[in-house]
Amino acid sequence: KNQVEQSPQSLIILEGKNCTLQCNYTVSPFSNLRWYKQDTGRGPVSLTIMTFSENTKSNGRYTATLDADTKQSSLHITASQLSDSASYICVVSGMAGGFKTIFGAGTRLFVKA
Amino acid sequence: EAGVAQSPRYKIIEKRQSVAFWCNPISGHATLYWYQQILGQGPKLLIQFQNNGVVDDSQLPKDRFSAERLKGVDSTLKIQPAKLEDSAVYLCASSHATGAYGYTFGSGTRLTVV
């Protein structure tokens, strides 16, 4: 079964600290993996997208890594800001039974002053 | 480029009433998606259109939900009659072709059924 699992479910950190969010998937064959940021009451906004051949992608203070062999990805946030408080959703696409896109449940990040 | 437009932003209805949501995708995007996002969960695909044809509606509760994309541009999603468990955010997204290069979401419509 194609699945995307994220951890932790929620996370509280102090402003200025770094954090890492995890995403494990079983989608196969794999096409691409995306990380989205979703602010409360808004639609998800794309942060990074990685294909099979890429193992890291950065977008400002956000750095995503991908290990296609172990089917794991992480999103590292450096020097967190209050505005980073949001849900971070891992999305994996693959060609299992036609092109499918599977969403993780997200990690809810709270950044405290 | 203009984003994906959705309306209304919020809607409160009583159970058994009907409701409709509207989406205008990014110009030139062939594929349009409707997602349902229940609080604390990731989005769940309801229906995917390629131009004005349905590609995937396997998770659409067809006894009460319907969607159309006339002329391959704007789309409407309707719920009739609504149930309490339909309370969620309904997100519209659009992309080129299969969405292999990512897609763009609208801000969503928050539906509350009371």
Side-chain angles (χ1 to χ4, degrees):
Chain A
K1 181 181 178 182
N2 292 314
Q3 288 185 312
V4 176
E5 296 187 352
Q6 293 188 242
S7 62
Q9 193 171 38
S10 63
L11 182 62
I12 302 173
I13 62 173
L14 291 176
E15 185 179 15
K17 297 296 186 182
N18 304 335
C19 67
T20 300
L21 314 180
Q22 300 291 343
C23 174
N24 295 338
Y25 63 92
T26 59
V27 178
S28 182
F30 170 84
S31 176
N32 63 67
L33 184 147
R34 287 164 264 165
W35 283 94
Y36 284 87
K37 178 186 179 187
Q38 186 174 22
D39 292 311
T40 300
R42 311 295 297 179
V45 174
S46 181
L47 294 175
T48 62
I49 178 169
M50 290 181 289
T51 60
F52 183 87
S53 61
E54 298 173 292
N55 55 23
T56 188
K57 185 72 69 80
S58 291
N59 179 356
R61 294 179 297 102
Y62 301 100
T63 299
T65 64
L66 172 65
D67 186 333
D69 292 331
T70 61
K71 296 185 171 57
Q72 296 179 325
S73 176
S74 64
L75 180 69
H76 186 74
I77 304 175
T78 304
S80 61
Q81 301 176 358
L82 297 178
S83 59
D84 292 332
S85 295
S87 288
Y88 292 84
I89 304 174
C90 176
V91 184
V92 182
S93 296
M95 286 300 296
F99 192 80
K100 296 290 185 185
T101 294
I102 311 295
F103 283 73
T107 291
R108 190 74 177 93
L109 175 65
F110 300 89
V111 181
K112 295 173 55 177
Chain B
E1 118 188 307
V4 175
Q6 289 189 247
S7 67
R9 285 284 283 128
Y10 306 94
K11 191 74 177 178
I12 301 175
I13 62 172
E14 295 183 348
K15 60 183 178 183
R16 292 187 289 274
Q17 286 188 321
S18 63
V19 64
F21 312 128
W22 173 82
C23 173
N24 183 259
I26 290 175
S27 178
H29 278 189
T31 307
L32 184 148
Y33 315 78
W34 282 103
Y35 285 88
Q36 179 193 59
Q37 187 175 24
I38 293 172
L39 186 65
Q41 300 181 17
K44 181 185 84 171
L45 179 68
L46 292 175
I47 189 166
Q48 175 182 341
F49 292 95
Q50 180 110 0
N51 298 308
N52 59 352
V54 175
V55 173
D56 184 352
D57 64 355
S58 57
Q59 298 192 88
L60 186 74
K62 298 180 185 64
D63 57 333
R64 298 184 301 106
F65 286 63
S66 64
E68 60 182 11
R69 190 184 185 197
L70 299 176
K71 302 179 181 178
V73 182
D74 293 7
S75 177
T76 55
L77 175 70
K78 297 179 181 178
I79 308 175
Q80 182 180 9
K83 293 184 176 181
L84 296 177
E85 58 262 36
D86 297 331
S87 294
V89 175
Y90 291 85
L91 294 164
C92 178
S94 70
S95 72
H96 294 292
T98 62
Y101 300 101
Y103 32 90
T104 304
F105 284 87
S107 293
T109 295
R110 180 175 295 278
L111 173 67
T112 303
V113 182
V114 297

